[in-house]
Amino acid sequence: MKTYRSYAAGDTILWRGEPLEFVASVVSGVAALSKTLEDGRTQMVGLLLPSDFIGRPGRRQIEFDVTATSEVTLCCFERRPFERLVEETPNVAQRLMELALDELDAARDWMLLLGRKTAREKIATFIEMLARRSNPDGTADPSRLALPMTRDQIANYLGLTLETVSRQFSALKKDGIIDFTDRRSFTVTDLAALHDETGDDADGGIVP
Amino acid sequence: MKTYRSYAAGDTILWRGEPLEFVASVVSGVAALSKTLEDGRTQMVGLLLPSDFIGRPGRRQIEFDVTATSEVTLCCFERRPFERLVEETPNVAQRLMELALDELDAARDWMLLLGRKTAREKIATFIEMLARRSNPDGTADPSRLALPMTRDQIANYLGLTLETVSRQFSALKKDGIIDFTDRRSFTVTDLAALHDETGDDADGGIVP
DNA sequence: CCCCAACTTTGACCCAGATCAACGTATGCC
DNA sequence: GGCATACGTTGATCTGGGTCAAAGTTGGGG
């Protein structure tokens, strides 16, 4: 009833429209949801990290491709028993609802980024997201970071080209905001300056 | 326990971060969810049509502004009794889940549009969406359509400027694909040609 | 160890769409 | 009815980021 599957970086896990016989949760690695136009332009529309979920109650297929960004291990369940579980246990249904709402919030931030931010703001936002994710509490040294994907994948994530991504990384380095140790890992030299580059509102609304 | 509220076009219904004492469903009119950067650039991140819902179980505030695009009437419930209702009736919880997943699918299509489509493709996609919405079955004459918003709002929706929106409408008119009867309503002269301009994949995946 | 393929950087150039500006055209209010 | 205001169109110009091209870098396999 519960099986594990592994995928190498770059593998396609699911094609758009493929009937979903399983639901799965990510055990390790990073997978991406993406959509493609008829001429091949693609845009990532979601990122799956460990504990994230593929497949939804009542949906028999998905409207996007799922590919492994790094090596990925999934924990898969058959759809039927899973749906029975959801119907019988309100807590599970509620948890799935929370996951969906979190994804929706993330999608909306991402829409603001795609529609209105400049290339530099997109890269700064991306780095800040990495920093926050790898250091949720703001306690430990947040400066050393590893890029979880190639320039090309970052471009797909941010609605840019890989050349622009590369140039913006170089520019942030030249401006003393980040510093590369090797091409997949770097340190954030000036976190406050980085935040100033994101274009984001100082912070949230009315609450004190 | 159930009250109605009305808002004029342009009114702000809720500010980002404002504590949510009510949940509501749209009775009539169109409302928009939008996010703003520190320098004032804004991007719509959701559109609320009649029967759509504001407020989520377990969320006490929202991360975006809600404004009335046209005159809007909401049907409001107090949050507490509503949450009790959700907990007690699985059908309601399930329905809310479906709404959230539909919004998520819509958000992902929109991300593809914002990140990768050209101005012309964005406008064509927008018009096609209007056509589909006002004529869900493809039966009646789909050609006569009314724009539910100003050029400025359309630009905010599509991640463009109002000038570009205006120019693209003019271009589609010049190319004989649409024809304006007045500046808020037009007919689609050539639906197939319109679809060819959207950039969208012919249609979906593997299913026959 | 070296070579090959995949990834990355950098440069030169171009163009879609933003910006700035000016001029129509509806709509409601006095 | 006429004026004020918001909305819309069109033109001229500028520019951020895309495109094309070429030259580094690096890590894994033979």
Side-chain angles (χ1 to χ4, degrees):
Chain A
M1 140 121 211
K2 177 165 119 180
T3 59
Y4 289 88
R5 300 187 183 192
S6 286
Y7 301 85
D11 284 2
T12 296
I13 297 172
L14 288 167
W15 294 103
R16 171 181 171 213
E18 192 174 339
L20 269 187
E21 322 225 323
F22 292 84
V23 297
S25 104
V26 178
V27 174
S28 68
V30 180
L33 317 181
S34 57
K35 297 197 142 231
T36 303
L37 295 175
E38 55 174 357
D39 65 358
R41 283 170 285 169
T42 78
Q43 174 64 54
M44 276 193 203
V45 298
L47 211 51
L48 297 175
L49 304 174
S51 90
D52 282 336
F53 199 80
I54 305 175
R56 295 301 181 210
R59 303 282 165 124
R60 308 227 156 175
Q61 33 173 292
I62 50 174
E63 289 305 314
F64 37 78
D65 301 328
V66 183
T67 48
T69 295
S70 62
E71 192 172 301
V72 168
T73 305
L74 299 182
C75 176
C76 303
F77 308 85
E78 287 173 50
R79 208 167 51 76
R80 284 316 178 87
F82 172 76
E83 287 187 345
R84 229 178 300 121
L85 181 72
V86 173
E87 279 162 25
E88 286 164 8
T89 40
N91 281 340
V92 172
Q94 195 183 328
R95 180 79 191 114
L96 285 175
M97 181 63 158
E98 271 167 42
L99 285 175
L101 293 178
D102 286 345
E103 278 184 79
L104 201 46
D105 282 348
R108 284 173 169 152
D109 283 331
W110 203 339
M111 284 165 64
L112 175 63
L113 176 145
L114 291 172
R116 296 297 180 196
K117 288 191 178 182
T118 65
R120 176 177 260 245
E121 287 168 345
K122 286 176 175 180
I123 296 288
T125 304
F126 177 70
I127 296 173
E128 200 180 50
M129 187 199 75
L130 286 181
R132 195 174 23 250
R133 215 191 65 210
S134 65
N135 184 38
D137 307 338
T139 49
D141 176 32
S143 55
R144 185 171 219 75
L145 294 172
L147 288 174
M149 30 174 115
T150 67
R151 302 290 185 272
D152 189 46
Q153 290 167 331
I154 295 169
N156 263 351
Y157 186 87
L158 299 173
L160 297 170
T161 60
L162 67 94
E163 293 94 330
T164 299
V165 170
S166 178
R167 274 189 254 269
Q168 294 299 331
F169 276 130
S170 299
L172 287 175
K173 176 175 178 174
K174 187 164 67 62
D175 295 348
I177 294 173
I178 61 176
D179 194 25
F180 277 86
T181 55
D182 99 48
R183 68 175 148 174
R184 294 295 282 271
S185 62
F186 61 95
T187 58
V188 177
T189 316
D190 189 341
L191 197 52
L194 183 69
H195 182 78
D196 290 344
E197 299 290 345
T198 62
D200 287 327
D201 212 343
D203 193 333
I206 286 166
V207 185
Chain B
M1 139 121 212
K2 177 166 121 180
T3 59
Y4 289 88
R5 299 185 183 193
S6 286
Y7 300 85
D11 283 3
T12 296
I13 297 172
L14 289 166
W15 294 104
R16 171 182 170 213
E18 192 174 337
L20 268 188
E21 321 225 325
F22 292 84
V23 297
S25 105
V26 178
V27 175
S28 68
V30 180
L33 317 181
S34 57
K35 297 198 141 230
T36 303
L37 295 173
E38 56 173 359
D39 65 358
R41 283 169 287 168
T42 78
Q43 174 65 54
M44 277 192 201
V45 297
L47 211 51
L48 297 175
L49 303 174
S51 89
D52 282 336
F53 198 80
I54 305 176
R56 295 302 180 207
R59 303 282 165 123
R60 308 228 156 173
Q61 35 175 289
I62 49 173
E63 288 305 314
F64 37 79
D65 300 328
V66 182
T67 48
T69 294
S70 62
E71 193 172 302
V72 168
T73 305
L74 300 182
C75 176
C76 303
F77 307 85
E78 286 174 50
R79 205 167 52 76
R80 284 314 178 88
F82 172 76
E83 287 187 346
R84 229 178 300 122
L85 180 72
V86 173
E87 280 160 26
E88 286 164 9
T89 40
N91 281 339
V92 172
Q94 196 184 329
R95 180 77 193 115
L96 285 175
M97 181 63 156
E98 271 167 42
L99 285 175
L101 292 179
D102 287 345
E103 278 185 79
L104 202 46
D105 282 348
R108 284 173 169 151
D109 283 331
W110 202 338
M111 284 167 64
L112 175 62
L113 176 146
L114 291 173
R116 295 299 180 196
K117 287 191 179 182
T118 65
R120 176 178 261 244
E121 287 167 345
K122 286 176 175 181
I123 296 288
T125 304
F126 177 70
I127 296 173
E128 200 181 48
M129 187 198 74
L130 286 181
R132 194 173 26 247
R133 216 192 63 211
S134 65
N135 183 38
D137 308 337
T139 49
D141 176 34
S143 56
R144 186 171 217 76
L145 294 172
L147 289 174
M149 31 174 113
T150 66
R151 302 291 185 272
D152 189 45
Q153 290 168 331
I154 295 169
N156 263 350
Y157 186 88
L158 298 173
L160 297 170
T161 59
L162 67 95
E163 293 95 330
T164 298
V165 170
S166 179
R167 272 188 255 269
Q168 294 299 333
F169 275 129
S170 300
L172 287 174
K173 176 174 178 174
K174 186 164 67 63
D175 294 348
I177 294 173
I178 61 176
D179 195 25
F180 277 85
T181 55
D182 100 49
R183 68 176 148 174
R184 293 296 280 273
S185 61
F186 61 96
T187 58
V188 177
T189 316
D190 189 340
L191 198 52
L194 182 69
H195 181 78
D196 289 344
E197 299 289 344
T198 62
D200 287 327
D201 212 342
D203 195 333
I206 285 165
V207 185

